[in-house]
Amino acid sequence: MTRIKTIKDIPLQGKQVFVRVDFNVPMDDDGQIVDDTRISAAIPTIRYLVSQRAKVILASHLGRPKGRSVPELSLRIVAANLAKKLGQPITFIEGCVGTIPFSAAEKMQEGSILLLENLRFHPEEEADDPEFSKELGRFAQVYVNDAFGTAHRAHASTHGIVNHVAEAVAGFLMESELNYLGEKTRNPERPFVAILGGAKVSDKIKVVSTLLKKADSILIGGAMAYTFLLSKGYEVGDSLWEPDQIDVASGAIETAMDQETELLLPLDHVVSRKVNFGKELVGNKILRGSIQKGWIGVDIGPETINSYKSRIQSARTILWNGPLGIFENKKFRNGTLAIAGLIASNTNATSIVGGGDSIKALKSSGYENEITHICTGGGAALEFLEGVELPGVRVLHRID
Ligand code: ADP
Ligand code: MG
């Protein structure tokens, strides 16, 4: 069987190595980094390249500058953050193609690091433009992709550049994302339990369908549950549901029965009269079964938590994507936190958590260090789990 080549498989000393990283960090209105998880996630690859005496050229996008130079979306601030983390100077270059970055790259010492300016200041990046790809490739003898979060996009720095380099390999972050979302869920240790929540069936139904083939149990929560419950004939009151997904939901229930995969829906619900984030609520109670008009399902109830508990406790592989309730409101986060706690305390299982909101919820629960793998890529992770071959992964070189 072949596998994707990684930085461990090739000589790096003295080589100009172009590393596509994902430094697309959230920023506040004052231009400060709100959460630098993505920067930390790239550190193992960068450290390794430095230790191998490579010349490390880092490139990323930040935000959506739409092909123009937007000073607020400069990667300069990331250079400072990264230098501090590594305890090593980073040379920031105001540009990513042309003579200035090129000659800076030519003058690099072994083991030194350059960070190029935001790739998306050029419209050619997202257009996967061949000329621009060639320009990026001029920097490098070796291309490393460590930006799993952008691997579902065929852009110049994730795709076109590969035509212009001798080696195209995965970094450690990319490698571990592919391992956990790929191998560990394709050939899982069983029982394999998937917990799926969040707002919309339409966002996640393809993942549900693929997981129906791989998992032993699927535990549903979040607003997604109401479309499933409606399709089984329950009332859901004023809860969020998707009229055009009812058939899809009942199709999934049928497939689950055919495949003998357990598909569990909430048995009881925390319901509220009005969902106003953070403010006082008008009424809040727990209901079993159907939800009457005028009430909104906002979280899974205690009986549901209890029934999901036994599955999570005996699982050997756990995949969680999507909060089980409106966790942004502290009165509705009990279900999500309870599930996070149960996953964290099953130390026999490989646990994988993905999704921007799920990770936010996990961090607020304080269980984040108990999880085997936290995915960095939202859209890319979903597509990968659906079985889509990601363009940024497909072009990487393979080894026997
Ligand atoms: P992730 O980012 O982890 O993939 P999603 O974006 O799919 O998750 O879903 C997260 C959103 O789902 C949250 O904003 C949360 O408030 C919402 N949500 C969860 N349960 C409910 C519910 N019962 N009613 C309405 N929204 C819900
Ligand atoms: Mg989300």
Side-chain angles (χ1 to χ4, degrees):
M1 234 194 50
T2 66
R3 62 170 175 83
I4 286 174
K5 256 191 187 180
T6 78
I7 44 179
K8 284 252 165 143
D9 295 314
I10 55 169
L12 294 159
Q13 186 176 3
K15 298 255 165 68
Q16 279 174 227
V17 179
F18 182 104
V19 193
R20 177 50 160 106
V21 284
D22 182 0
F23 286 164
N24 183 27
V25 287
M27 313 272 278
D28 64 16
D29 293 340
D30 302 326
Q32 298 303 307
I33 298 169
V34 181
D35 178 351
D36 60 4
T37 308
R38 285 183 168 153
I39 302 176
S40 306
I43 297 276
T45 293
I46 300 171
R47 282 232 162 92
Y48 179 76
L49 295 172
V50 168
S51 77
Q52 296 295 302
R53 314 303 297 157
K55 300 172 181 174
V56 185
I57 302 156
L58 304 173
S60 177
H61 73 284
L62 174 61
R64 297 172 190 267
K66 303 210 171 106
R68 288 178 303 115
S69 246
V70 178
E72 298 76 49
L73 296 177
S74 169
L75 280 166
R76 186 183 286 280
I77 186 162
V78 171
N81 179 298
L82 180 64
K84 208 162 162 195
K85 284 199 168 62
L86 288 169
Q88 173 176 353
I90 310 279
T91 308
F92 177 71
I93 306 289
E94 281 178 23
C96 61
V97 286
T99 49
I100 297 174
F102 187 74
S103 62
E106 287 291 288
K107 289 192 206 103
M108 285 178 86
Q109 307 278 325
E110 291 185 0
S112 68
I113 306 173
L114 280 191
L115 173 63
L116 304 177
E117 183 54 290
N118 195 338
L119 293 159
R120 291 196 189 165
F121 284 180
H122 298 262
E124 296 89 344
E125 160 65 2
E126 287 176 88
D128 199 15
D129 180 81
E131 273 308 308
F132 186 79
S133 301
K134 193 174 169 187
E135 277 292 305
L136 293 177
R138 270 176 72 203
F139 290 112
Q141 285 120 27
V142 173
Y143 167 76
V144 177
N145 192 340
D146 214 21
F148 178 76
T150 348
H152 59 319
R153 306 275 180 239
H155 292 169
S157 67
T158 61
H159 183 260
I161 186 174
V162 170
N163 296 320
H164 307 283
V165 290
E167 294 276 14
V169 303
F172 294 140
L173 176 61
M174 175 68 90
E175 184 187 25
S176 85
E177 297 276 14
L178 296 177
N179 176 35
Y180 283 107
L181 293 173
E183 192 51 29
K184 293 270 195 277
T185 62
R186 214 170 3 250
N187 294 308
E189 276 197 66
R190 298 188 180 277
F192 173 18
V193 175
I195 304 144
L196 296 170
K200 287 174 154 185
V201 175
S202 49
D203 283 351
K204 309 271 166 88
I205 189 64
K206 286 200 197 127
V207 176
V208 175
S209 311
T210 346
L211 288 174
L212 279 172
K213 295 187 205 115
K214 300 179 186 170
D216 299 294
S217 305
I218 298 187
L219 319 179
I220 303 273
M224 203 161 78
Y226 306 116
T227 305
F228 276 95
L229 287 168
L230 261 175
S231 83
K232 290 188 74 166
Y234 289 94
E235 301 288 326
V236 300
D238 295 329
S239 307
L240 189 63
W241 60 282
E242 291 166 280
D244 59 342
Q245 298 292 318
I246 298 269
D247 289 347
V248 172
S250 52
I253 292 172
E254 249 170 63
T255 312
M257 289 203 280
D258 292 347
Q259 309 256 353
E260 294 181 14
T261 303
E262 190 178 47
L263 181 78
L264 297 188
L265 298 173
L267 302 165
D268 59 346
H269 319 273
V270 177
V271 294
S272 162
R273 280 282 188 198
K274 212 166 151 193
V275 184
N276 42 1
F277 290 75
K279 298 215 183 93
E280 266 320 294
L281 302 163
V282 189
N284 193 13
K285 59 177 180 177
I286 291 166
L287 280 187
R288 197 171 195 291
S290 278
I291 301 173
Q292 295 90 35
K293 262 212 123 352
W295 293 88
I296 304 163
V298 291
D299 194 5
I300 55 173
E303 215 177 311
T304 307
I305 296 172
N306 214 27
S307 95
Y308 289 3
K309 181 179 177 179
S310 57
R311 273 70 178 189
I312 297 171
Q313 283 179 333
S314 58
R316 298 300 303 269
T317 305
I318 305 170
L319 175 75
W320 174 33
N321 172 271
L324 296 127
I326 306 175
F327 75 100
E328 293 91 341
N329 185 316
K330 65 175 183 307
K331 296 193 175 154
F332 308 148
R333 73 173 60 136
N334 185 47
T336 303
L337 295 191
I339 296 298
L342 288 167
I343 299 172
S345 46
N346 181 345
T347 49
N348 289 322
T350 299
S351 50
I352 304 157
V353 180
D357 292 297
S358 312
I359 293 169
K360 213 182 283 172
L362 178 68
K363 286 187 174 168
S364 75
S365 76
Y367 294 119
E368 130 197 41
N369 294 330
E370 263 58 65
I371 302 300
T372 318
H373 180 74
I374 298 177
C375 300
T376 53
L382 283 183
E383 284 193 31
F384 192 69
L385 283 172
E386 286 164 16
V388 175
E389 200 187 19
L390 309 181
V393 175
R394 181 167 37 90
V395 294
L396 296 176
H397 294 173
R398 305 189 69 91
I399 196 169
D400 286 330

